[in-house]
Amino acid sequence: MSDFENHSGTRPAAWYEGLTEAPDSPLVDRPLPPAEITYRTLTYEVTGRIARITFNRPEHGNAITSDTPVELAHAVERADLDPRVHVMVVSGRGKGFCGGYDLSLFAENGFDPGEPADSPTGTVLDPVVQARNHNPWGTWDPMVDYAMMSRFNRGFSSLLHANKPTVAKLHGFAVAGGTDIALYADQIICADDTKIGYPPTRVWGIPAAGMWAHRLGDQRAKRLLFTGDCLSGKQAEEWGLAVESTPADELDERTEALLERIARMPINQLVMAKLALNSALLAQGVANSGMISTVFDGISRHTREGYAFQLRAATEGFREAVRERDEPYGDWKRAQFEE
């Protein structure tokens, strides 16, 4: 057969053939990487052209542990390199996407989340070291704090820095540290009744990812972070935070429709489009926003008010401390801006 007869231009719409499908692809006949992996905090599965990363601690609201950023970054990198994958979707099992950091561990247990899979013993990430650095009666080293929190951020930002498109599928709740993850995704799609926001700005927290102004603009970001209020999924779409919001019982169908449309595109077109658009986003100072916000997040946990919240959580339990934080705003356990 001649080169012309084997050329992709002789087949109808050959540009839609995948890297593992086209007979003239450099990856043809090569063995494929594993399509499924189970981590401690999430699962990874490739179906067709879609990589599905799913937080898998539903009994804990998919709350973030020390393993989460490392495992998320590993899964994203695996999808980025897999020639089958055109798009990644991040979601959560159970009642919600992600309820933020597992503060029943961090706040109640002296900032000791337990030993992660990749042991940091003897480093500044050692849980004992971090616990000592968060002692209200001790001396706080902000850069020891930054060493930990910046690495959480680095793992979550893999969604933004991945070459391929990333989609966050939100349902139930995406609050506090859960928004640090979601706002790094290229696209957010959510259920109308999703609760989205960062209540810890009321005390003991600043969004370390620093993505709110980049996603919402100055005034709307300040409207949320000056109050700790939350948006519903429907309002997230109206404000431009989500690309689409849908009734909860239609979320799966609408997400799959979006993923299939993205996945139809050639990988190289998707990568070039994302790199081109990210260049504008990064020029806005995303890296600086994350650095400054991470430092301020540490400071917010070491103020007089921050120590009061931490000690209250340690003595009375985190849920009680959150109730006392949120009840004056009238939104304990419910979304703001209800219609």
Side-chain angles (χ1 to χ4, degrees):
M1 182 180 292
S2 69
D3 290 343
F4 176 78
E5 291 173 316
N6 193 45
H7 195 282
S8 57
T10 64
R11 300 188 299 277
W15 47 87
Y16 288 131
E17 297 171 344
L19 281 175
T20 60
E21 302 158 4
D24 54 349
S25 166
L27 285 152
V28 70
D29 296 330
R30 297 302 301 153
L32 296 173
E36 294 185 22
I37 301 177
T38 298
Y39 299 87
R40 284 164 54 134
T41 66
L42 54 88
T43 61
Y44 173 87
E45 180 185 15
V46 176
T47 58
R49 296 182 170 189
I50 302 166
R52 303 177 188 276
I53 300 169
T54 310
F55 296 125
N56 194 32
R57 301 181 73 233
E59 70 280 7
H60 299 289
N62 296 317
I64 297 163
T65 74
S66 298
D67 292 314
T68 308
V70 177
E71 295 178 350
L72 178 61
H74 187 274
V76 168
E77 177 71 355
R78 178 169 292 278
D80 227 13
L81 295 175
D82 191 326
R84 293 167 296 189
V85 173
H86 291 232
V87 59
M88 310 167 213
V89 59
V90 182
S91 62
R93 286 192 173 85
K95 296 181 179 180
F97 174 75
C98 176
Y101 287 84
D102 195 337
L103 296 182
S104 64
L105 295 174
F106 285 100
E108 292 178 5
N109 295 349
F111 232 81
D112 183 356
E115 194 77 0
D118 185 14
S119 175
T121 301
T123 74
V124 291
L125 302 183
D126 188 324
V128 174
V129 174
Q130 288 295 329
R132 290 171 178 170
N133 197 43
H134 285 77
N135 179 358
W137 291 278
T139 300
W140 172 58
D141 186 330
M143 292 298 99
V144 170
D145 192 295
Y146 183 79
M148 175 187 66
M149 289 305 301
S150 63
R151 280 164 176 79
F152 277 94
N153 238 12
R154 193 177 303 170
F156 301 155
S157 69
S158 63
L159 294 169
L160 174 65
H161 296 296
N163 292 328
K164 296 174 182 176
T166 57
V167 176
K169 172 186 173 184
L170 311 185
H171 78 288
F173 45 81
V175 294
T179 62
D180 284 341
I181 299 171
L183 268 63
Y184 272 127
D186 300 314
Q187 303 272 272
I188 292 175
I189 184 169
C190 57
D192 289 342
D193 60 354
T194 308
K195 179 179 179 179
I196 307 170
Y198 206 95
T201 57
R202 292 168 180 170
V203 68
W204 216 65
I206 293 294
M211 290 297 294
W212 284 97
H214 297 287
R215 295 306 192 195
L216 277 179
D218 177 68
Q219 278 204 97
R220 283 180 164 170
K222 287 176 178 174
R223 169 62 184 87
L224 294 179
L225 299 188
F226 285 173
T227 61
D229 290 342
C230 289
L231 293 171
S232 68
K234 183 178 180 182
Q235 287 158 327
E237 179 188 27
E238 293 169 354
W239 282 30
L241 183 65
V243 70
E244 184 177 350
S245 181
T246 182
D249 60 359
E250 299 176 14
L251 179 60
D252 289 344
E253 178 184 355
R254 293 304 305 157
T255 302
E256 292 305 308
L258 174 61
L259 293 170
E260 289 296 334
R261 292 184 72 83
I262 296 173
R264 188 174 294 117
M265 297 268 287
I267 291 175
N268 50 31
Q269 288 291 132
L270 291 169
V271 171
M272 287 186 284
K274 179 168 178 176
L275 290 174
L277 294 170
N278 268 8
S279 67
L281 181 61
L282 295 172
Q284 295 175 10
V286 166
N288 281 339
S289 298
M291 181 269 290
I292 292 168
S293 297
T294 301
V295 171
F296 284 158
D297 181 51
I299 293 172
S300 74
R301 287 181 272 106
H302 296 84
T303 61
R304 179 181 64 84
E305 296 84 354
Y307 281 142
F309 180 84
Q310 180 183 340
L311 286 174
R312 193 68 174 163
T315 57
E316 300 299 323
F318 178 66
R319 291 182 182 276
E320 175 61 18
V322 169
R323 183 191 67 77
E324 294 174 2
R325 181 194 71 191
D326 292 345
E327 271 195 340
Y329 288 86
D331 63 351
W332 185 52
K333 286 192 174 181
R334 71 179 179 86
Q336 285 293 301
F337 306 116
E338 291 177 342
E339 297 178 349

